[in-house]
């Protein structure tokens, strides 16, 4: 009986630790810029309702974003982005599922700025590619801010840019991520 | 007992391992989808001649240049109609997601026109959704031709016409959009006395998307009254929408010359039956007047 009780205690305490180990947001930001150097118009957009969940115990890091939520300066560009490029009705979401490879170096209990290496799989337009990037985790007052910047090649995701607009839309897009995460209460 | 303990430990560790690869996003993603408006039912706020269920984005201006050439069956003598052209130049403005206004001027009868289009209901998915868009359009036209008989007692109001439309449309799929547009056109002074001042018509418009940038369109108005045999006809236009970067080209064939509702509904004097069709195009160029807020 004692053993069972002990076991129960261990299990419960372990569960409690697990519960506090996850961080999340539903209002993270992802910004991208695919402006060609000679373009007269900026081809960039921001999405302010990015979902991000981080499991500090395992270092697992996942993002989900609705493609329709990207806001452009020009409405027509936004229409073309959704209708012709990422086809957001067919592929509504962009997702990243990865892991912080040096998660052990981050002390989530102590305020500080921790450089991290993240690798995982990025899915856009129904195409999944492995990516790796450097980023930072900033721990402050129990909150974690995740930032990163990386470059993707548009053609990798089977998004075709017509010759006609090749002078405006670059072959690569710089993606910036900025998510402030709160403790996930389960 | 010991056995049970070991088994529990094992199960616990398996559960722990399973947790590592779990879908973390499921923990926070909402089950209920939010209300979302169905957009891009048509490439343009016009099917071909008539209004479509689509609206301009707020803060944009659509500069439209419309051409209707002569009859194709005139043959080589008039280069299949291309020697003659009738045109309309227009400026449409998107004010809100469901409100737009526009002005234009046509060479046909030197006519000015202005309209407003408002959608109280827009097709949407998610919570509180609607299967259709219901939009109301109202317009006024004013021809500025010299009076046929300058010595007569001419009234300014004789130059005016009005139209009212209800547009009920649905984007059935990515490829197919259809709409019905019951319409009333009132003309203060009709060209011939046998014509009624009020003409009622039912419009039917549709789009079939072929590729992301090319679509087939058709635009038809059936007149319930005011049609006289061998005089005027129901306007039918079929065309193709081609999108190239900042432009939409609407190339089409039509038996109508008019480019505002009063003109193409009540004054279509040609018929497809005799091959009296015309080539025409609408060129639409969207300008962003007020830039959308967009900051990190």
């Amino acid at each position: 009986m004692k053993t069972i009780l002990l076991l129960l205690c261990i299990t419960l305490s372990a569960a409690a630790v697990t519960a506090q180990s996850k961080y999340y947001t539903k209002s993270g930001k992802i910004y991208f810029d695919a402006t060609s150097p000679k373009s007269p118009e900026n081809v960039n957009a921001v999405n302010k309702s990015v979902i991000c969940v981080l499991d500090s115990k395992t270092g697992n890091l996942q993002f989900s974003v609705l493609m329709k939520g990207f806001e452009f300066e020009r409405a027509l560009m936004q229409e073309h982005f959704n209708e012709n490029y990422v086809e957001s009705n067919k592929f509504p979401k962009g997702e990243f599922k990865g892991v912080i490879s040096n998660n052990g170096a981050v002390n989530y209990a102590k305020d500080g700025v921790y450089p991290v290496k993240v690798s995982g799989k990025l899915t856009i337009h129904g195409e999944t590619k492995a990516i790796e990037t450097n980023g930072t985790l900033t721990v402050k007052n129990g909150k974690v801010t995740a930032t990163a910047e990386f470059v993707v090649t548009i053609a990798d995701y089977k998004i075709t840019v017509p010759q006609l607009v090749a002078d405006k839309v670059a072959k690569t897009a710089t993606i910036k991520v900025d998510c402030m995460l709160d403790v996930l209460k389960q | 007992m010991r056995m049970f303990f070991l088994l529990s430990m094992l199960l616990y560790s398996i559960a722990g391992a399973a947790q590592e690869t779990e879908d973390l996003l499921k923990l926070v993603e909402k089950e209920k989808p939010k209300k979302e408006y169905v957009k891009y039912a048509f490439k343009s706020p016009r099917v071909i001649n008539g209004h479509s269920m689509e609206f301009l984005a707020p803060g944009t201006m659509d500069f439209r240049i419309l051409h209707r050439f002569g009859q194709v069956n005139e043959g080589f003598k008039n280069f299949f109609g291309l020697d003659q052209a009738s045109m309309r130049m227009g400026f449409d403005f998107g004010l809100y997601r469901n409100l737009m206004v526009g002005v234009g001027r046509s060479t046909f009868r030197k006519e000015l026109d202005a309209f407003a289009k408002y959608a109280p209901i827009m097709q949407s998915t998610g919570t509180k959704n609607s299967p259709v868009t219901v939009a109301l359009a109202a317009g006024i036209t004013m021809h500025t031709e010299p009076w046929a008989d300058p010595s007569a007692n001419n009234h300014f109001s004789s130059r005016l016409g009005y139209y009212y439309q209800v547009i009920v449309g649905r984007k059935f799929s990515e490829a197919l959009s259809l709409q019905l547009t019951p319409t009333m056109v009132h003309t203060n002074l009709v060209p011939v006395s046998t014509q009624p001042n009020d003409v009622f018509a039912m419009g039917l418009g549709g789009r079939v998307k072929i590729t992301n940038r090319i679509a087939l369109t058709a635009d038809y108005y059936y007149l319930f009254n005011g049609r006289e045999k061998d005089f005027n006809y129901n306007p039918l236009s079929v065309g193709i929408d081609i999108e190239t970067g900042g432009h939409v080209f609407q190339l089409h064939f039509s038996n109508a010359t008019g480019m505002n509702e009063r003109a193409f509904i009540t004054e279509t004097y040609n018929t497809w039956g005799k091959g009296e069709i015309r080539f025409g195009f609408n060129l639409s160029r969207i300008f962003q007047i007020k830039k959308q807020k967009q900051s990190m």
Side-chain angles (χ1 to χ4, degrees):
Chain A
M1 196 63 216
K2 257 184 194 165
T3 356
I4 293 176
L5 265 177
L6 184 72
L7 182 68
L8 206 65
C9 283
I10 292 170
T11 317
L12 279 176
S13 61
V17 168
T18 319
Q20 281 180 6
S21 71
K22 292 194 181 87
Y23 297 86
Y24 85 109
T25 184
K26 289 180 182 179
S27 55
K29 291 176 200 157
I30 288 181
Y31 166 93
F32 80 82
D33 193 328
T35 312
S36 182
K38 284 178 195 160
S39 170
E41 297 163 359
N42 289 331
V43 184
N44 54 12
V46 64
N47 190 313
K48 292 174 187 163
S49 28
V50 176
I51 296 174
C52 172
V53 183
L54 165 66
D55 187 342
S56 64
K57 216 176 79 187
T58 59
N60 280 342
L61 183 61
Q62 300 184 352
F63 292 86
S64 167
V65 59
L66 280 175
M67 300 312 278
K68 278 183 192 161
F70 278 100
E71 292 162 25
F72 289 71
E73 209 172 67
R74 290 163 185 270
L76 194 65
M77 223 178 256
Q78 192 164 324
E79 176 177 336
H80 292 164
F81 173 78
N82 286 301
E83 287 278 278
N84 304 343
Y85 292 87
V86 299
E87 302 178 283
S88 52
N89 276 318
K90 259 191 247 169
F91 310 105
K93 276 181 193 171
E95 269 187 353
F96 174 78
K97 288 185 177 177
V99 63
I100 300 171
S101 46
N102 61 335
N103 191 47
V106 184
N107 184 353
Y108 291 93
K110 195 179 160 209
D111 286 7
V113 181
Y114 304 94
V116 288
K117 270 189 167 37
V118 181
S119 60
K121 283 175 175 169
L122 178 64
T123 308
I124 304 170
H125 194 232
E127 293 294 314
T128 304
K129 285 272 174 303
I131 60 160
E132 227 179 75
T133 180
N134 294 322
T136 48
L137 286 186
T138 309
V139 179
K140 204 179 175 189
N141 303 328
K143 288 181 180 181
V144 180
T145 305
T147 57
E149 184 174 333
F150 56 97
V151 176
V152 296
T153 304
I154 293 171
D156 280 353
Y157 298 91
K158 296 210 170 131
I159 297 166
T160 43
V161 178
Q163 203 58 43
L164 200 69
V165 291
D167 59 334
K168 287 181 186 159
V169 184
K171 294 207 164 26
T172 58
T174 306
I175 299 177
K176 286 183 196 168
V177 182
D178 185 357
C179 294
M180 194 159 96
L181 312 173
D182 289 317
V183 172
L184 177 63
K185 293 187 181 83
Q186 283 173 311
Chain B
M1 196 66 226
R2 182 142 299 192
M3 199 61 183
F4 174 72
F5 179 75
L6 278 174
L7 199 68
S8 308
M9 279 306 273
L10 190 70
L11 279 175
Y12 178 69
S13 60
I14 287 169
Q19 209 160 23
E20 275 179 44
T21 52
E22 74 174 319
D23 189 353
L24 295 170
L25 296 168
K26 281 216 176 101
L27 299 173
V28 293
E29 275 179 340
K30 271 187 214 152
E31 283 163 30
K32 272 191 186 169
K34 268 200 274 177
K35 179 170 178 160
E36 193 186 302
Y37 290 107
V38 175
K39 282 176 161 175
Y40 318 129
F42 288 86
K43 284 211 190 293
S44 174
R46 298 273 181 165
V47 181
I48 292 175
N49 274 324
H51 290 290
S52 78
M53 61 185 275
E54 196 60 40
F55 281 76
L56 284 177
T60 59
M61 180 185 82
D62 185 9
F63 175 46
R64 302 178 66 81
I65 301 174
L66 282 53
H67 274 71
R68 304 292 181 267
F69 294 98
Q71 287 171 216
V72 173
N73 63 353
E74 285 172 356
F76 195 72
K77 147 178 88 124
N78 276 327
F79 201 61
F80 305 96
L82 295 185
D83 282 356
Q84 310 151 343
S86 174
M87 72 164 287
R88 175 182 181 270
M89 201 160 60
F91 298 90
D92 294 356
F93 300 87
L95 303 180
Y96 297 101
R97 69 175 167 76
N98 60 350
L99 178 66
M100 60 180 282
V101 296
V103 292
R105 188 186 180 281
S106 312
T107 53
F108 182 64
R109 302 200 67 196
K110 299 184 187 299
E111 195 163 43
L112 288 158
D113 67 274
F115 72 90
K117 189 167 90 174
Y118 166 72
I121 300 168
M122 291 188 115
Q123 191 183 342
S124 54
T125 59
T127 49
K128 287 186 186 171
N129 59 0
S130 162
V132 292
T133 290
V134 179
L136 312 167
I140 179 167
T141 63
M142 181 180 93
H143 81 78
T144 61
E145 278 178 331
W147 296 112
D149 178 6
S151 62
N153 187 12
N154 291 307
H155 301 283
F156 170 74
S157 60
S158 302
R159 297 186 179 278
L160 303 180
Y162 306 89
Y163 67 89
Y164 307 95
Q165 276 189 322
V166 181
I167 305 160
V168 183
R170 174 170 165 81
K171 184 181 184 180
F172 286 91
S173 70
E174 270 309 287
L176 180 70
S177 306
L178 290 174
Q179 63 171 36
L180 280 173
T181 44
T183 305
M184 187 196 110
V185 180
H186 175 86
T187 312
N188 276 348
L189 183 67
V190 288
V192 284
S193 60
T194 51
Q195 283 282 298
N197 291 94
D198 292 330
V199 171
F200 296 88
M202 175 61 84
L204 179 66
R207 177 192 78 160
V208 177
K209 213 168 148 182
I210 298 173
T211 72
N212 279 346
R213 294 177 177 84
I214 297 173
L216 295 179
T217 51
D219 191 7
Y220 176 70
Y221 280 80
Y222 176 82
L223 273 64
F224 293 109
N225 66 329
R227 257 212 63 202
E228 288 171 59
K229 199 172 183 297
D230 297 331
F231 179 68
N232 64 342
Y233 299 90
N234 295 329
L236 167 68
S237 316
V238 291
I240 183 165
D241 282 7
I242 302 170
E243 190 184 303
T244 64
H247 296 92
V248 177
F249 291 93
Q250 299 183 295
L251 313 178
H252 60 266
F253 288 100
S254 175
N255 60 334
T257 319
M259 284 165 273
N260 66 51
E261 272 63 13
R262 189 208 60 76
F264 75 76
I265 291 173
T266 68
E267 285 198 82
T268 293
Y269 299 123
N270 298 121
T271 171
W272 279 75
K274 292 180 196 160
E276 297 168 340
I277 51 171
R278 299 155 187 277
F279 174 66
F281 67 81
N282 301 347
L283 169 58
S284 155
R285 165 88 207 186
I286 307 266
F287 294 90
Q288 190 80 34
I289 295 178
K290 195 178 158 219
K291 286 192 178 158
Q292 302 188 120
K293 269 184 214 158
Q294 182 243 35
S295 55
M296 183 76 181

